[in-house]
Amino acid sequence: MPEKKRGPMKLSEIGTSKPSPAKPRATQDRPTPAAPEKNYQTRPKPRPKQVIQAEDSPNPAQDLLAKAQQLRAQKPTNDLDFEAPDTLDQERQAEVDANIQSGTITLIEVQKKNKKRFNIYLNGQFAFGISENTLVKFALHKGQELDTDFVKDLKEVDKADYAYQLAVRFLSHQLRSEKEVRDKLKDEDIEPAVIETAIEKLQAVELIDDTVYGQSYTRTAMNINKKGPKMIERELKNKGLNDEEISQSIAEYDQDVMHENALDIAEKYFQKQLRKASHRNAIQKTKQYLVQKGYDSDLIQELMRQLSEDNEDEDQEMAVLLKDLEKYMRRYQKLKDKDRTFKVKGMLYNKGYSSELINQAIETFEENDY
């Protein structure tokens, strides 16, 4: 019987229709297979195969060892007696070097990293590099014949020119002493003889003059860094200047400027120390600082007397003392009162406070119950 066609579903039927139940699948009871019994019997170990080796069979390791021992026994005791078969003998090597260092210029090209240096090719092979000055001085050109002696002289001149140009660039930033220029050239692995030639040339054109350098250095240190004369002397000595050159340089230091510089440094440093130390300690530390800056002891004593008289402020010193007293009282609070007071007094006295001022501070401390 043909299946009856069904028309479109009505709105009232939405959600009311039930799906037809699925037909249950027929199942059969299958017996569960029994687990196989474990056999804990150990299998017998296989017997090792017997390897039968002939008595006269070759052993590669023993053969190599024997050969090594033979070669070691044959090694010459003196390395000079040993000749490598692939190396050239000395005469042939010298001949090859001579061919490279002499011949016809086949190419002159500018170096890639330094446009002021040129590569010279002899007989189609690179031979050496030279500077632009050396190239112009010897008027080198393509097709020119060069012998070994000429190339040797050419290289010596080029080394001197290279050292000279290096020193000129070093001097272009600021004045330098002769010792500084020498040290720079040594750091660049320039030969000592070449350094001497470069120094003589620099002195001839007055690019190196230690007296002029020392005077300029003194003026800069005096006006900008406010260094004292003794400090400048030490620094010029480290720069390689001799005693006469140093004396002429220090003569540039104006006495009035020296007094103004020392007073300015002393006032600033002294006020800074007064904010955290006793009056006596502030004076002592300021003296030490002026000595380090290179000023004369007589000038320092004069300045410190003036500063001490102008800055006698007991209230300020008492305020600093009370801060130190409170700090030490907290540090030694585990001690008994008598022991703590004795310990703190010693600490404050070592910091430069007077005994009278310390006793006043302790009374103030106890009254206010810090």
Side-chain angles (χ1 to χ4, degrees):
M1 183 176 182
E3 184 179 356
K4 185 178 180 181
K5 294 184 179 180
R6 188 173 182 179
M9 184 178 292
K10 297 180 181 180
L11 292 175
S12 59
E13 296 178 353
I14 296 176
T16 59
S17 61
K18 297 181 180 180
S20 58
K23 295 181 180 181
R25 297 177 62 183
T27 58
Q28 295 180 357
D29 295 333
R30 297 179 181 178
T32 304
E37 296 182 359
K38 296 183 179 180
N39 187 5
Y40 294 98
Q41 295 180 359
T42 58
R43 296 181 180 179
K45 295 182 179 180
R47 294 181 180 180
K49 296 181 180 180
Q50 295 182 358
V51 179
I52 301 175
Q53 184 176 359
E55 294 181 358
D56 56 348
S57 61
N59 190 332
Q62 292 181 356
D63 293 343
L64 288 174
L65 180 60
K67 290 181 180 180
Q69 291 175 350
Q70 292 177 1
L71 291 174
R72 184 176 181 181
Q74 295 175 1
K75 183 179 179 181
T77 56
N78 188 353
D79 293 337
L80 296 176
D81 298 333
F82 179 77
E83 294 182 0
D86 296 332
T87 57
L88 296 173
D89 55 10
Q90 294 181 355
E91 294 181 358
R92 186 178 176 187
Q93 187 65 43
E95 182 181 354
V96 172
D97 293 339
N99 290 335
I100 297 177
Q101 300 303 323
S102 63
T104 305
I105 299 178
T106 54
L107 178 63
I108 301 176
E109 66 175 3
V110 181
Q111 293 184 359
K112 294 181 179 179
K113 294 184 178 180
N114 190 348
K115 302 300 181 182
K116 292 187 177 182
R117 290 191 64 81
F118 295 82
N119 294 329
I120 305 298
Y121 289 79
L122 299 179
N123 301 331
Q125 293 182 335
F126 170 77
F128 51 85
I130 59 173
S131 66
E132 182 180 5
N133 293 336
T134 307
L135 181 71
V136 174
K137 181 177 181 179
F138 287 89
L140 299 179
H141 57 275
K142 186 177 180 181
Q144 184 177 358
E145 293 287 340
L146 304 180
D147 57 19
T148 305
D149 294 336
F150 184 83
V151 171
K152 184 178 179 180
D153 295 339
L154 192 68
K155 288 184 176 181
E156 293 298 327
V157 172
D158 186 69
K159 287 181 181 179
D161 182 71
Y162 173 76
Y164 176 77
Q165 296 298 332
L166 185 64
V168 169
R169 288 196 298 271
F170 184 59
L171 291 165
S172 63
H173 302 287
Q174 65 182 55
L175 289 177
R176 311 277 186 176
S177 67
E178 179 182 333
K179 180 179 181 298
E180 289 178 314
V181 177
R182 287 182 180 274
D183 292 341
K184 175 64 176 178
L185 296 178
K186 287 180 182 178
D187 293 340
E188 297 294 334
D189 297 329
I190 306 297
E191 298 175 1
V194 178
I195 293 177
E196 291 298 330
T197 303
I199 293 295
E200 291 175 1
K201 188 175 180 180
L202 291 169
Q203 290 175 340
V205 295
E206 297 182 352
L207 287 178
I208 291 180
D209 189 330
D210 280 354
T211 301
V212 175
Y213 169 80
Q215 292 173 346
S216 175
Y217 188 91
T218 301
R219 289 191 295 269
T220 302
M222 173 183 64
N223 296 322
I224 298 178
N225 306 113
K226 295 185 178 182
K227 297 178 181 179
K230 292 186 177 181
M231 187 177 188
I232 298 175
E233 287 181 10
R234 293 193 298 267
E235 292 177 348
L236 290 178
K237 195 170 188 65
N238 293 333
K239 300 288 186 181
L241 276 68
N242 57 39
D243 294 339
E244 182 179 356
E245 293 166 342
I246 292 175
S247 178
Q248 294 177 6
S249 302
I250 296 300
E252 294 290 318
Y253 209 124
D254 184 82
Q255 296 297 318
D256 294 336
V257 175
M258 179 174 61
H259 189 278
E260 293 176 2
N261 290 344
L263 179 59
D264 182 59
I265 293 173
E267 286 179 343
K268 292 179 180 179
Y269 194 82
F270 184 63
Q271 292 297 331
K272 180 181 178 181
Q273 294 300 317
L274 282 178
R275 291 193 291 269
K276 58 182 180 180
S278 64
H279 190 273
R280 188 173 67 179
N281 267 20
I283 292 176
Q284 188 64 28
K285 290 184 178 181
T286 305
K287 286 182 179 180
Q288 294 175 357
Y289 185 70
L290 290 174
V291 170
Q292 293 175 1
K293 294 289 288 185
Y295 289 97
D296 185 70
S297 58
D298 293 337
L299 176 61
I300 294 174
Q301 293 293 341
E302 177 187 348
L303 293 176
M304 295 317 301
R305 281 196 299 268
Q306 179 181 346
L307 290 176
S308 179
E309 294 173 358
D310 296 342
N311 293 275
E312 288 185 356
D313 189 348
E314 291 188 0
D315 294 337
Q316 181 183 5
E317 188 174 12
M318 177 60 75
V320 177
L321 172 56
L322 287 173
K323 289 182 180 180
D324 289 337
L325 176 61
E326 183 181 359
K327 179 178 65 176
Y328 292 138
M329 283 295 189
R330 286 199 305 268
R331 181 181 299 179
Y332 301 108
Q333 60 184 351
K334 293 184 178 181
L335 298 178
K336 295 180 180 180
D337 292 344
K338 185 177 181 180
D339 295 337
R340 184 175 66 167
T341 302
F342 180 79
K343 182 73 173 179
V344 171
K345 279 186 176 181
M347 298 290 292
L348 294 174
Y349 187 78
N350 291 335
K351 292 201 68 173
Y353 298 105
S354 63
S355 300
E356 181 181 357
L357 200 62
I358 292 173
N359 292 329
Q360 293 178 9
I362 291 177
E363 291 178 2
T364 304
F365 182 85
E366 293 175 349
E367 290 175 359
N368 292 276
D369 193 18
Y370 277 87

